[in-house]
Amino acid sequence: MFLESLQNFHTAMGREEWVARWRKLGDAHRLAGELSLKKGAFEEATQACLCALTSFEVARRLLDEDDPQFGELSTRIEEAIDVFGSSQARKLQLVDISGCDQTEFPAYYLPGTGQDSCAPAVICISKEDETGVTLLARLLPVVIDRNVSVLVVSHADVSNHVPAKSEMPLSCCLDYLSVQHEIDDSRIGVYGEGLSAVLATDFAVSDRRVAAAVCDGGLWNWARTLASVSWLATNQDVMDEDAASARRLRLVRQLRCPVLVVAGGRGIVSVSEATTLLADCAAGRIDLELLVSRMARTPMGDIENFVPSDDFIFGWMEHKLAHSSAT
């Protein structure tokens, strides 16, 4: 509600004042969570921590990306996550994923709410300029009441490999989830943000076990293909729209699972590119959907309203992974 209301302001109170207000709000909720935890009131502690995490994320969104306060907010986020982890019966775990090249990298794992062995799971990859902890903090309020397990990894940990083998660490993540007793290994999806959306696409193409993907739908590779064609071709040889559509479909058909493309906001996919891809996929009867990020236009610049976007993404994941089980 706050982010939506910002577009009605014509004279901003000042970015720093808004950031300070939301940081103070987050601190108050985190303190309330700590006090509730000491009293043994675990549910109240959980809710307070979730409020703190969302408050800190709003403060982050109001900052310029190169603002030094990012580091300070990261510390506050980690402290709130520590309190959250102590308040949960189903513990948030920091686990080590063994890579196929004998290396290990960390990941955060939170089991779903159910006790059976048929729950879905999602591998979540942070943006290229964010840590796994940052993504985890934003997603916890979205996934806490859903019967879906999440494994959160950072872009840096899964992308620092030979390009041809960049999907291998993600396959190791899927291997880890597949042996967890509460997870149905036929219902594991992947979600990537920013350039990680490209990693999610490549992973879904290379590993047939992926049951649903929130990714770029091949548009990054398509843009590189188009740039190469334009560079090599003369003006008379420029690709017509029918040929372009056929090439886009050839790329996206490599994805053998339902796909959600998130366009706009701070992502790498433009709305116009995604809309064209959506039309091509509709004509080709390919299961691809589009989410356009909601933006609040403010005197401080455009700010992405992450709350409804995240809620839609995980609602879509739940629906598609449930359908995957039925199939």
Side-chain angles (χ1 to χ4, degrees), residues 2-3 6 14-23 55-65 67 70 73 298 300-301 303:
F2 167 74
L3 290 175
L6 282 179
R15 187 183 297 265
E16 289 298 322
E17 187 172 344
W18 279 118
V19 170
R21 177 174 294 187
W22 281 91
R23 188 176 60 225
S55 299
F56 291 142
E57 180 63 22
V58 172
R60 270 186 9 97
R61 299 275 166 153
L62 295 173
L63 285 172
D64 291 323
E65 293 189 359
D67 195 297
F70 264 102
L73 278 173
T298 78
M300 297 173 285
I303 301 175

Side-chain angles (χ1 to χ4, degrees), residues 34-50:
E34 292 173 350
L35 294 175
S36 296
L37 187 60
K38 290 178 180 178
K39 297 175 182 177
F42 297 115
E43 181 62 27
E44 289 82 353
T46 295
Q47 294 303 319
C49 290
L50 295 178

Side-chain angles (χ1 to χ4, degrees), residues 189-269:
V190 62
Y191 164 36
E193 293 198 338
L195 285 176
S196 293
V198 184
L199 299 181
T201 297
D202 293 343
F203 176 45
V205 168
S206 67
D207 197 319
R208 290 175 176 266
R209 297 175 294 172
V210 176
V214 180
C215 60
D216 80 325
L219 286 175
W220 183 263
N221 287 331
W222 161 246
R224 291 193 297 179
T225 298
L226 189 62
S228 299
V229 170
S230 299
W231 182 70
L232 293 171
T234 65
N235 290 336
Q236 291 77 20
D237 295 329
V238 173
M239 193 185 309
D240 62 31
E241 184 50 40
D242 289 340
S245 176
R247 283 177 178 256
R248 277 193 295 266
L249 287 175
R250 192 176 306 132
L251 287 170
V252 78
R253 278 200 174 101
Q254 297 178 60
L255 290 157
R256 293 174 290 271
C257 64
V259 174
L260 175 65
V261 174
V262 182
R266 297 194 296 173
I268 62 170
V269 178

